[in-house]
Amino acid sequence: MFKLSTSYLQYVPDIDQWILFLSRNDIKELVLELGEGEWFRVPSCLFNCSKLTRLELVNCELDPPPTFKGFPNLRILTLHQVLVAADAIESLISSCPVLENLSLSYFDSLAMTISAPNLKYLNLEGEFKDICLENTPALVALSVAMYMTDDIAEHFEQSSSCKFVKFLGGTPLLEHLIGQIYFTKYLSIGDYPATFSITYDRLKVIELYQVSFEDMKEILVVLRLITSSPNLRELTISVSFDGTLYNVIERSLFYDFLSLLQGSSNTVASAVVTTDLDFWEEECPSDCTFGQLKSVKMTDLSCVPHELEFIKFILRNSPILETMRVSPSSYVKDKTVNMLMQLVRFRRASAQAELIFEHE
């Protein structure tokens, strides 16, 4: 094994010579953490290291030569802040037949297809325009954080293909899923095909962060995931607070305001609420049971009705639930008492279910 960690690159020729030496001596594990600033261009001799089982590159520029046929023994590949063309990284991944652990972080506007039949652990973080898991049937753990720019947001708006199917449609062995910022937004893009269905029999832990409960398509993504995971045991969801008028103004005041605008009575406002919440009767399967779910955590709640309806749905369909932890956002301190009063009234399928309300 050889590991080099430094923030200074005054001795680039020496590093090149070291890698050349390593390539001639059957190096198995190579880690280059070269700090920030100037990019280090990895010498082509690196691609002669056929015995590599682990390769980690930080702040490097990577350009595989046309003659490169892959790393036949590589099991772990980590690329952090690496300059590499999309087609080059796709080719690199697909030419590592025993690759099990892949981590790609801090990439800009990258659209790529990942094909790795033995891949078990995948970590993605960056500005991804599009990601397709084309051949990853052995995947057991997945963590994704997607940063959004104006260009990428515009690209998403113009897309019609179902990202849920492209991304999670071929991962039946998934056990642990972590979706960071914009992940559920990404999965909600496109029209979900009515004929498609998948069951995640091994998925036990789901963590979703920055979920918008004002976006019906994002709520559907969450429901689709949990209702397709019959052995789910732990569920964590943090809510995205967008600061819009709909979230900040008291619900009653908002609908009174809406009634005034429409020149109607409050019955119109009531009808709006009822129609809105009919979503839960229409989209939630009546025979759904979370038979293995024991722990649920909901954080940063902004006290909107769909959040409460989701909690109600979980409580009434989880017969062995042990704990439901709920914490509101600091932006809605004035609503916490009303929220707590509603939560304690919800019917619980589990007699031992403990509702833990956490707030500052």
Side-chain angles (χ1 to χ4, degrees), residues 219-230 278-290 309-310 312-314 316-318 347:
I219 298 175
L220 279 173
V221 165
V222 177
L223 291 176
R224 191 171 292 133
L225 276 172
I226 64 176
T227 57
S228 300
S229 307
D278 282 347
F279 166 88
W280 295 93
E281 296 295 331
E282 297 168 358
E283 299 296 340
C284 296
S286 58
D287 58 347
C288 175
T289 301
F290 303 108
E309 288 296 321
F310 179 78
K312 182 191 298 185
F313 173 65
I314 294 294
R316 72 166 181 255
N317 293 288
S318 305
R347 183 174 63 84

Side-chain angles (χ1 to χ4, degrees), residues 144-191:
V144 185
M146 306 183 73
Y147 306 126
M148 193 73 69
T149 64
D150 291 341
D151 290 343
I152 292 177
E154 183 178 353
H155 173 77
F156 284 169
E157 290 176 1
Q158 297 173 353
S159 178
S160 60
S161 62
C162 181
K163 305 303 183 186
F164 190 103
V165 175
K166 289 180 66 176
F167 199 83
L168 293 177
T171 57
L173 303 184
L174 203 59
E175 297 178 6
H176 193 155
L177 173 63
I178 302 175
Q180 303 282 355
I181 184 169
Y182 289 117
F183 180 63
T184 52
K185 176 71 70 177
Y186 176 77
L187 293 184
S188 71
I189 296 170
D191 299 323

Side-chain angles (χ1 to χ4, degrees), residues 1-2 8 60 93 96 113 228 232 249 260 328 352:
M1 176 184 177
F2 180 83
Y8 305 97
C60 295
I93 294 171
C96 299
T113 297
S228 300
L232 183 64
I249 297 178
L260 289 173
Q352 70 267 26

Side-chain angles (χ1 to χ4, degrees), residues 33-52:
E33 297 176 348
L34 301 180
E36 300 179 356
E38 183 182 355
W39 299 89
F40 171 67
R41 186 176 178 84
V42 177
S44 59
C45 60
L46 170 72
F47 299 97
N48 296 327
C49 301
S50 60
K51 298 295 181 66
L52 274 179

Side-chain angles (χ1 to χ4, degrees), residues 24-301:
R24 295 171 176 172
N25 287 272
D26 294 337
I27 182 70
K28 290 186 177 180
E29 298 187 26
L30 176 62
V31 179
L32 298 179
E33 297 176 348
L34 301 180
E36 300 179 356
E38 183 182 355
W39 299 89
F40 171 67
R41 186 176 178 84
V42 177
S44 59
C45 60
L46 170 72
F47 299 97
N48 296 327
C49 301
S50 60
K51 298 295 181 66
L52 274 179
T53 60
R54 174 189 175 196
L55 176 62
E56 296 186 20
L57 301 177
V58 177
N59 203 45
C60 295
E61 183 177 352
L62 200 62
D63 186 16
T67 56
F68 178 61
K69 301 301 181 183
F71 295 115
N73 299 294
L74 194 68
R75 296 185 179 277
I76 301 174
L77 175 62
T78 300
L79 303 179
H80 179 82
Q81 287 184 317
V82 172
L83 285 177
V84 59
D87 57 346
I89 193 171
E90 287 180 0
S91 177
L92 172 61
I93 294 171
S94 62
S95 60
C96 299
V98 297
L99 186 65
E100 295 181 351
N101 192 320
L102 175 63
S103 180
L104 307 175
S105 53
Y106 288 89
F107 284 83
D108 296 334
S109 300
L110 184 64
M112 62 179 299
T113 297
I114 296 177
S115 178
N118 289 298
L119 190 65
K120 294 182 179 179
Y121 309 98
L122 176 60
N123 176 64
L124 300 172
E125 181 179 359
E127 298 172 5
F128 296 100
K129 275 191 172 181
D130 205 1
I131 306 172
C132 177
L133 302 185
E134 185 177 75
N135 183 22
T136 55
L139 200 63
V140 297
L142 173 62
S143 177
V144 185
M146 306 183 73
Y147 306 126
M148 193 73 69
T149 64
D150 291 341
D151 290 343
I152 292 177
E154 183 178 353
H155 173 77
F156 284 169
E157 290 176 1
Q158 297 173 353
S159 178
S160 60
S161 62
C162 181
K163 305 303 183 186
F164 190 103
V165 175
K166 289 180 66 176
F167 199 83
L168 293 177
T171 57
L173 303 184
L174 203 59
E175 297 178 6
H176 193 155
L177 173 63
I178 302 175
Q180 303 282 355
I181 184 169
Y182 289 117
F183 180 63
T184 52
K185 176 71 70 177
Y186 176 77
L187 293 184
S188 71
I189 296 170
D191 299 323
Y192 191 83
T195 57
F196 179 83
S197 65
I198 183 172
T199 301
Y200 303 100
D201 288 318
R202 302 189 183 188
L203 189 54
K204 297 179 176 63
V205 180
I206 296 178
E207 301 174 42
L208 301 173
Y209 299 91
Q210 298 292 301
V211 178
S212 172
F213 275 82
E214 292 298 321
D215 187 328
M216 297 297 101
K217 295 194 72 174
E218 283 195 54
I219 298 175
L220 279 173
V221 165
V222 177
L223 291 176
R224 191 171 292 133
L225 276 172
I226 64 176
T227 57
S228 300
S229 307
N231 295 305
L232 183 64
R233 296 181 181 178
E234 298 179 24
L235 175 64
T236 299
I237 295 178
S238 82
V239 178
S240 171
F241 183 82
D242 58 15
T244 61
L245 177 68
Y246 194 68
N247 285 336
V248 175
I249 297 178
E250 286 287 349
R251 211 66 168 184
S252 59
L253 294 178
F254 176 81
Y255 288 117
D256 287 343
F257 177 65
L258 180 64
S259 298
L260 289 173
L261 286 179
Q262 296 177 339
S264 59
S265 65
N266 285 337
T267 57
V268 174
S270 300
V272 173
V273 177
T274 303
T275 302
D276 200 23
L277 297 181
D278 282 347
F279 166 88
W280 295 93
E281 296 295 331
E282 297 168 358
E283 299 296 340
C284 296
S286 58
D287 58 347
C288 175
T289 301
F290 303 108
Q292 302 297 321
L293 188 60
K294 293 185 176 182
S295 173
V296 177
K297 185 175 182 180
M298 300 277 295
T299 63
D300 298 319
L301 296 174

